[in-house]
Amino acid sequence: MREIVLDTETTGLDPLRGDRLVEIGCIEIFNRMPTGQSYHVYINPERDMPAEAFAVHGLSTEFLASKPLFTEVVDEFLAFIADTPLVIHNASFDISFINAELERIKRPVIARDRLVDTLLLARRKHPGVSNRLDDLCSRYAIDNSRRTKHGALLDAELLAEVYVDLIGARQSQLILASEATITQVGHGDMPRRQREIPLAPRVTDAEREAHRAFIATLGDKPIWNEYLPPAAEAAE
C-alpha cells in the first residue's frame, strides 16, 4: 500500500489569521518501506517572517522571496500525493494550512478521512507522556541529530521511521525476515528424497560404444588438456 509521509513549515500557528505555508516535504512509502521517492519545495508566503517562526525553521523573508508561489507548485504537489493516505504528525495543523492555500486559489481541499495522525497514534500507545517528534525519535532510538532546526523534508524522513515503529511494522518485518532465514536454512538441511523406482537410463549401450570409439580417435593429447593446470597435466 502506498502512503505519503508529509510535513510542512509555516509563518505561524493560524492560517485564519494570515499565517502562510512556506515549505512542504513528502516521503513516499510502500508497504511501510521508503521507496526513495520524495517531494520537497519552498514557497514564497507573500508576507514577512515573524521572528518566532524564523527561530523554529530558519527560513527568512529574504530566502523565501525568490521561491515560487503556492499556485505555481500546487499541480506538482497534488500529482505527487495523488489520492494516497497522508501520514502526518499533528495532522490537523498541517492540513489546515494546506487546505487554506487550496481554498485561496479555489482548488478542492484535501479530505480529512485521508489522514493518518501519528500524534494520535502515539498518544494511544504512550499515554501520559510527551509525544513530540523528538521524543518519539528518542523512544525508538532513531538518530535525529541532524534536526538542529525544523525542516519539512527531514522531519518527514524522521516521521517515516517513527511511523514504522509506532504501528509495530518494523517488528513484523524483522520477524518475517527471521522466519525467511530459518526457512532457508531448514530447506538446506532437509535430506533429498529418493525415487522408489529409479528412472531408466536414457543413454543406450550403442551410444556409449560410439562415444568410446570417438574418444579413441583423439589420440593421447586431447584438446581439453590444454586447459588443465600444469599440476593436473603432469599427474596424468
Side-chain angles (χ1 to χ4, degrees):
M1 180 179 69
R2 182 179 189 258
E3 296 172 287
I4 298 296
V5 184
L6 181 150
D7 189 65
T8 66
E9 298 300 334
T10 68
T11 64
L13 302 177
D14 191 350
L16 299 180
R17 295 186 177 182
D19 287 316
R20 300 288 298 274
L21 203 59
V22 297
E23 185 184 9
I24 302 174
C26 300
I27 298 295
E28 180 187 65
I29 59 176
F30 189 81
N31 291 338
R32 311 309 200 245
M33 296 291 292
T35 65
Q37 298 298 312
S38 63
Y39 174 82
H40 178 240
V41 66
Y42 293 110
I43 299 166
N44 181 349
E46 303 178 277
R47 56 153 293 169
D48 66 308
M49 180 62 67
E52 297 83 357
F54 177 76
V56 171
H57 50 59
L59 302 177
S60 67
T61 303
E62 294 74 22
F63 173 78
L64 296 169
S66 61
K67 304 308 176 186
L69 304 178
F70 182 78
T71 189
E72 297 173 312
V73 301
V74 63
D75 289 332
E76 187 179 27
F77 167 61
L78 293 177
F80 184 82
I81 66 172
D83 58 355
T84 305
L86 303 177
V87 179
I88 307 174
H89 201 64
N90 193 13
S92 61
F93 176 86
D94 298 81
I95 208 65
S96 67
F97 274 90
I98 292 173
N99 281 345
E101 297 290 348
L102 290 169
E103 288 176 342
R104 188 173 282 110
I105 59 173
K106 312 301 182 187
R107 300 291 288 268
V109 299
I110 294 172
R112 292 180 178 266
D113 59 9
R114 288 178 55 182
L115 307 180
V116 179
D117 192 337
T118 51
L119 180 58
L120 297 181
L121 294 177
R123 284 172 175 170
R124 292 191 195 109
K125 190 169 183 177
H126 307 291
V129 296
S130 176
N131 286 294
R132 298 174 307 161
L133 183 57
D134 282 334
D135 299 317
L136 292 170
C137 286
S138 298
R139 195 167 296 145
Y140 294 121
I142 295 168
D143 181 12
N144 64 339
S145 57
R146 294 179 295 156
R147 196 179 188 237
T148 56
K149 295 276 188 182
H150 288 214
L153 187 61
L154 174 58
D155 287 1
E157 291 173 353
L158 293 173
L159 184 59
E161 292 192 62
V162 165
Y163 178 53
V164 172
D165 281 309
L166 195 57
I167 62 176
R170 194 184 307 278
Q171 185 175 1
S172 298
Q173 291 165 0
L174 292 173
I175 291 172
L176 288 173
S178 176
E179 288 177 348
T181 303
I182 292 170
T183 301
Q184 186 177 2
V185 172
H187 287 171
D189 294 339
M190 290 176 64
R192 295 183 178 180
R193 296 178 61 186
Q194 301 294 325
R195 294 181 180 272
E196 295 181 5
I197 302 175
L199 293 174
R202 296 186 178 185
V203 181
T204 66
D205 290 339
E207 289 170 332
R208 288 194 185 93
E209 188 58 36
H211 181 67
R212 292 191 189 99
F214 171 73
I215 295 297
T217 66
L218 299 177
D220 296 332
K221 293 188 178 295
I223 190 171
W224 54 75
N225 278 355
E226 296 179 10
Y227 299 95
L228 293 173
E233 190 173 358
E236 289 189 345

